[in-house]
Amino acid sequence: MRWLRYGPDAALVECESLAEMSAVRAAVVAAGLPDLVEVVPGARTVLIAARPGSTGLAEARRFVESADLDGGNGGEPREITIDVRYDGEDLDLVARTAGITAAEVVELHTGATYTVAFTGFAPGFGYLTGLPEPLRQSRLDTPRTRVPAGSVAIAGEFTGVYPRSSPGGWRLLGHTDAVLFDSRAERPALLAPGDRVRFRRIG
Amino acid sequence: MSRALEVVATGPLALVQDLGRPGHAHLGVPPSGALDVPALRLANRLVGNPEGAAGIESLLGGLTVTARASCTVAVTGPPVAVAVDGRPAGSHVPVHLAAGQALSIGRPDTGLRCYLAVSGGIDAEPELGSRSRDVLSEIGPPPLEPGAVLPLGAPAGIPDGADTVTAPPNPPELVVPVVLGPRDDWFGDAAHQLSVPWTVTSESNRVGLRVDGPALRRTDAREGEELPSEGVITGAIQVPPNGLPVVFLADHPTTGGYPVIAVVVPRALPALAQARPGTTIRFRPYA
């Protein structure tokens, strides 16, 4: 793990793997350090930003370096099930690319348990890891200018759900009526880093 | 009659802003908030508000509001003509409006963003603890439109009677202190490459300040390499494949996939928020 300077008040912790990143993120969050403003997980990194002039960054570093990163994350992850209609425009393309049937794509996608590794792109958009190998496919060559809200999609090692309509290049498997982000709700984002997620086929 | 402001004209863009909603980046929510934070804080002090009360960020002036109740207002940011019912009233001073009077902000000669504070603050419904409009995520009160009625909170304090608050200068050339990293090693001699004059482009907005100049060159080893998505903060200078840097401002995405060569120190951000297209910028790395 490497600590990279990120401006005067923040550091980027570069990890060997997504798993190590998740452990570092969980350790920092569990420490509950009051002077940290943001803890932002990425695919291989954790960005830690502290209140200017505080000792939060140094405390976070001491905490991470003494933490058992191979152990549990401290605390049970939340379990979330998302109901999906597998009628996505790219379902057949995904099946062809994987050399299996569309029904097998659905079976693989619903059979796995995913973990929210990090968010980004838009409020409530979680990058979920745990995608079965045959479904790890590249983004579309030409991104769509508009992907409907609730679209369930895959790209690379991730699956995710578009919280609102936006441009996007992920391959669309289906859609859900679940509300991914509501800024006025007590928990604004349905999916937060560390959460466990399963997809359930409906209809 | 309830305390409120009615919007008559908005100019190019007028947004409700406070000090933003930091702390939600892990959910994909940008910090947002006033781009020129000292200007909003000053405007609030001048009208007796807590510094974090919500005001209006007016891009290039042209904003006119009518008071529906007696209130105190102040306009800060670059020096700008302010008028009450057409009579000059001055910026950077508290101004009283009687019910029915109209306040107009002219077009500033320098800078970009003026701040209007009103005694009691704009009482829009907070989202995630803030009344700021976030143009990237479209969270917070929508951009102001003529006819909109903005409720005001109860006045909390006594307006500051200071009569000699000077507007900050907006020089045509800015020297911007930056801290190199975290990905400066992707670029050959990052400090030198950054130190040339850059020109602010009209593609800039609250998401990012875009500059034009000699494209930043990666080292041969990093040419064409992809960077897995990682967290970004306000002030981060991200370099897309075209080599032209983007300085992320308050409505920046919370993660990005291009290398960040350096980070602008926070105290230099207000001047960038006021930098007009055509302004020359030099990034000066320090140890």
Side-chain angles (χ1 to χ4, degrees):
Chain A
M1 161 188 343
R2 285 202 305 160
W3 287 68
L4 304 175
R5 197 173 181 197
Y6 203 129
D9 310 306
L12 192 69
V13 189
E14 193 175 47
C15 302
E16 296 300 317
S17 63
L18 193 71
E20 187 181 58
M21 180 287 291
S22 296
V24 169
R25 184 203 69 83
V28 173
V29 170
L33 301 172
D35 285 329
L36 297 189
V37 183
E38 304 277 12
V39 179
V40 192
R44 293 291 180 272
T45 55
V46 183
L47 173 63
I48 303 172
R51 219 171 292 287
S54 75
T55 55
L57 211 52
E59 287 167 36
R61 182 161 190 166
R62 272 200 304 276
F63 202 89
V64 168
E65 287 177 347
S66 64
D68 173 15
L69 298 179
D70 298 327
N73 288 347
E76 287 293 300
R78 289 195 313 152
E79 309 260 349
I80 295 154
T81 300
I82 296 176
D83 288 334
V84 181
R85 286 181 201 280
Y86 283 90
D87 54 5
E89 290 176 50
D90 300 322
L91 192 60
D92 290 334
L93 171 69
V94 169
R96 267 201 317 278
T97 307
I100 56 180
T101 66
E104 286 168 327
V105 170
V106 175
E107 222 167 275
L108 282 171
H109 196 252
T110 54
T113 301
Y114 304 91
T115 303
V116 182
F118 64 100
T119 65
F121 178 63
F125 188 93
Y127 290 77
L128 277 52
T129 58
L131 193 64
E133 192 64 49
L135 302 184
R136 297 185 183 189
Q137 302 180 6
S138 62
R139 279 183 258 196
L140 299 172
D141 291 336
T142 306
R144 288 186 171 84
T145 53
R146 186 179 173 281
V147 174
S151 293
V152 177
I154 55 172
E157 62 184 309
F158 302 111
T159 184
V161 186
Y162 284 83
R164 54 179 188 169
S165 87
S166 67
W170 290 28
R171 298 183 181 209
L172 308 183
L173 298 185
H175 73 268
T176 178
D177 292 332
V179 175
L180 275 293
F181 189 80
D182 175 1
S183 67
R184 296 179 198 278
E186 196 180 336
R187 286 192 64 103
L190 178 65
L191 306 178
D195 290 346
R196 295 284 159 78
V197 180
R198 292 181 69 92
F199 293 99
R200 181 167 56 196
R201 179 172 178 267
I202 57 164
Chain B
M1 187 163 59
S2 65
R3 286 168 49 78
L5 285 186
E6 183 172 340
V7 178
V8 177
T10 63
L13 183 65
L15 304 171
V16 176
Q17 293 292 340
D18 57 17
L19 299 182
R21 49 179 73 82
H24 299 91
H26 62 289
L27 302 178
V29 178
S32 197
L35 286 199
D36 186 344
V37 170
L40 177 65
R41 289 183 189 273
L42 172 63
N44 275 323
R45 288 200 302 276
L46 287 171
V47 301
N49 286 345
E51 290 188 333
I56 299 173
E57 182 179 273
S58 159
L59 180 69
L60 291 170
L63 176 72
T64 298
V65 293
T66 302
R68 287 199 170 175
S70 172
C71 59
T72 304
V73 298
V75 178
T76 59
V80 67
V82 174
V84 176
D85 283 349
R87 292 189 314 278
S91 69
H92 297 75
V93 289
V95 173
H96 176 255
L97 297 183
Q101 284 191 310
L103 175 100
S104 296
I105 303 177
R107 185 184 166 98
D109 290 332
T110 62
L112 288 174
R113 295 177 168 92
C114 297
Y115 291 84
L116 169 66
V118 193
S119 51
I122 308 288
D123 192 21
E125 192 180 341
E127 290 182 58
L128 295 171
S130 167
R131 298 180 167 90
S132 286
R133 176 61 172 185
D134 173 344
V135 301
L136 182 72
S137 305
E138 298 175 334
I139 297 174
L144 301 190
E145 296 278 357
V149 176
L150 306 173
L152 301 177
I158 297 176
D160 184 334
D163 61 356
T164 53
V165 179
T166 315
N170 292 110
E173 176 165 326
L174 285 175
V175 176
V176 178
V178 303
V179 177
L180 289 178
R183 303 287 178 199
D184 54 314
D185 63 342
W186 282 48
F187 301 87
D189 197 355
H192 176 73
Q193 287 204 65
L194 277 171
S195 65
V196 304
W198 299 90
T199 306
V200 176
T201 79
S202 57
E203 301 295 298
S204 303
N205 57 21
R206 287 182 47 88
V207 175
L209 183 90
R210 291 169 187 275
V211 297
D212 199 4
L216 294 165
R217 292 180 319 278
R218 291 187 184 185
T219 61
D220 290 346
R222 297 291 189 183
E223 200 54 57
E225 189 167 336
E226 302 242 346
L227 183 72
S229 194
E230 59 190 30
V232 291
I233 58 174
T234 308
I237 305 175
Q238 198 189 56
V239 186
N242 69 7
L244 298 179
V246 179
V247 184
F248 279 138
L249 301 179
D251 293 356
H252 63 81
T254 64
T255 58
Y258 300 127
V260 170
I261 188 172
V263 180
V264 174
V265 303
R267 68 185 151 79
L269 290 170
L272 290 184
Q274 300 291 4
R276 285 195 172 184
T279 302
T280 300
I281 285 182
R282 291 171 193 274
F283 298 112
R284 180 186 288 164
Y286 72 97

